[in-house]
Amino acid sequence: MRIFIEKDYDAMSRRMAQIIAAEITHNPACVLGLATGSTPEGAYKYLVDWHKQGCLSFQDVLSVNLDEYVGLAPTHDQSYRYFMQSNLFDHVDIVPENTRVPDGLTKDPAAFCAEYDAYIRSLGYVDLQLLGIGRNGHIGFNEPGDCFVKETHVVDLAESTIDANARFFATRDDVPKQAISMGIGAIMGAKKVLLAASGAEKADAILGSICGAITPHCPGSILQLHPNVAVVVDEVAGSKLKAAGVSVCG
Ligand code: PGA
């Protein structure tokens, strides 16, 4: 793993965006595995800026997103499709048909999940997979549990995830209780992974994922088995790595 500890959220975002832009430049028809949430928002702003400056084109890029809330329409302002449109897709030249986000309104979740995995396999898996991380170590919405789930699946969100995401909704009761999430198989099938985190509340999840036991109780820990992972964190999210003596880039 290459680990970058940046001084703050903006520097973390810039580093993330540089890695994503490098992937697109190197391979204009790459498949990006995209994430939502506060963590990648700043990176998407950099990518939009660079696109507007004429430095970056998404014309041949394909994207697949990690997850979506069950029950939210794409037009709901807290759906992950809406997030992707408003933070990235509507501002760059990506072809709409080349973007996939799980369908939170699917009437047949089992068939949908199987098709989502088949589509990812048909692309030869993702070239660069972005990941945030939950305070409980989840990646995508692969919540801690007794086993890793390989396939795209419907997941019951952990109470701690509902608590963490309540900040985006009018009340905690409005937070959906389930999501569709890409499984560990598609994430680990990616050729490269970019894991990012900011904030002190992520320090334990980052430490556990990078230095802890490989266990489904900390889903991010499986990334220790992936051959090509870049970790980009701000100083507070990375504070426990320094204390543990982990060697970092730069
Ligand atoms: P966040 O969420 O980027 O909003 O902190 C990350 C996650 O829960 O995976």
Side-chain angles (χ1 to χ4, degrees):
M1 284 187 183
R2 283 160 300 133
I3 300 171
F4 301 90
I5 300 184
E6 305 294 345
K7 73 174 189 320
D8 56 17
Y9 178 83
D10 183 59
M12 175 200 77
S13 300
R14 191 178 171 83
R15 174 77 73 179
M16 289 173 72
Q18 284 168 334
I19 293 171
I20 300 163
E23 179 70 30
I24 297 170
T25 304
H26 159 72
N27 178 9
C30 63
V31 181
L32 296 179
L34 296 178
T36 52
S38 326
T39 309
E41 231 179 299
Y44 293 153
K45 283 200 177 83
Y46 273 107
L47 295 175
V48 168
D49 280 353
W50 296 339
H51 170 71
K52 290 195 167 146
Q53 288 162 24
C55 308
L56 189 64
S57 172
F58 290 74
Q59 206 176 325
D60 298 320
V61 168
L62 284 89
S63 72
V64 284
N65 261 76
L66 277 170
D67 44 21
E68 179 60 283
Y69 287 119
V70 167
L72 296 197
T75 49
H76 189 291
D77 67 3
Q78 290 308 324
S79 77
Y80 287 165
R81 166 54 81 174
Y82 187 94
F83 177 101
M84 290 311 304
Q85 293 299 140
S86 49
N87 284 280
L88 184 66
F89 298 155
D90 287 347
H91 311 290
V92 297
D93 58 347
I94 197 161
V95 177
E97 295 70 35
N98 288 348
T99 69
R100 300 284 172 105
V101 179
D103 177 6
L105 296 183
T106 178
K107 296 274 179 293
D108 187 347
F112 177 84
C113 291
E115 279 165 26
Y116 206 68
D117 281 334
Y119 176 66
I120 294 168
R121 275 196 307 275
S122 76
L123 299 175
Y125 289 88
V126 162
D127 290 300
L128 176 64
Q129 178 66 55
L130 267 60
L131 294 174
I133 192 160
R135 299 166 197 200
N136 62 5
H138 74 208
I139 48 175
F141 273 135
N142 291 275
E143 298 285 24
D146 291 336
C147 54
F148 291 111
V149 181
K150 198 170 170 196
E151 295 81 17
T152 296
H153 58 289
V154 175
V155 60
D156 293 330
L157 298 179
E159 291 298 318
S160 62
T161 299
I162 294 171
D163 289 342
N165 291 2
R167 69 191 194 278
F168 298 116
F169 291 83
T171 71
R172 189 184 186 280
D173 286 345
D174 294 323
V175 183
K177 306 293 178 286
Q178 289 187 312
I180 294 176
S181 180
M182 209 186 259
I184 292 297
I187 292 172
M188 292 297 282
K191 295 176 188 75
K192 302 178 204 98
V193 173
L194 168 54
L195 171 68
S198 80
E201 66 279 7
K202 301 291 179 69
D204 284 323
I206 285 292
L207 180 69
S209 295
I210 291 167
C211 304
I214 299 173
T215 163
H217 292 283
C218 178
S221 64
I222 200 164
L223 297 172
Q224 293 174 44
L225 298 180
H226 194 286
N228 194 339
V229 180
V231 181
V232 183
V233 292
D234 67 6
E235 275 189 356
V236 272
S239 57
K240 297 195 176 180
L241 294 179
K242 280 191 174 161
V246 172
S247 66
V248 301
C249 299

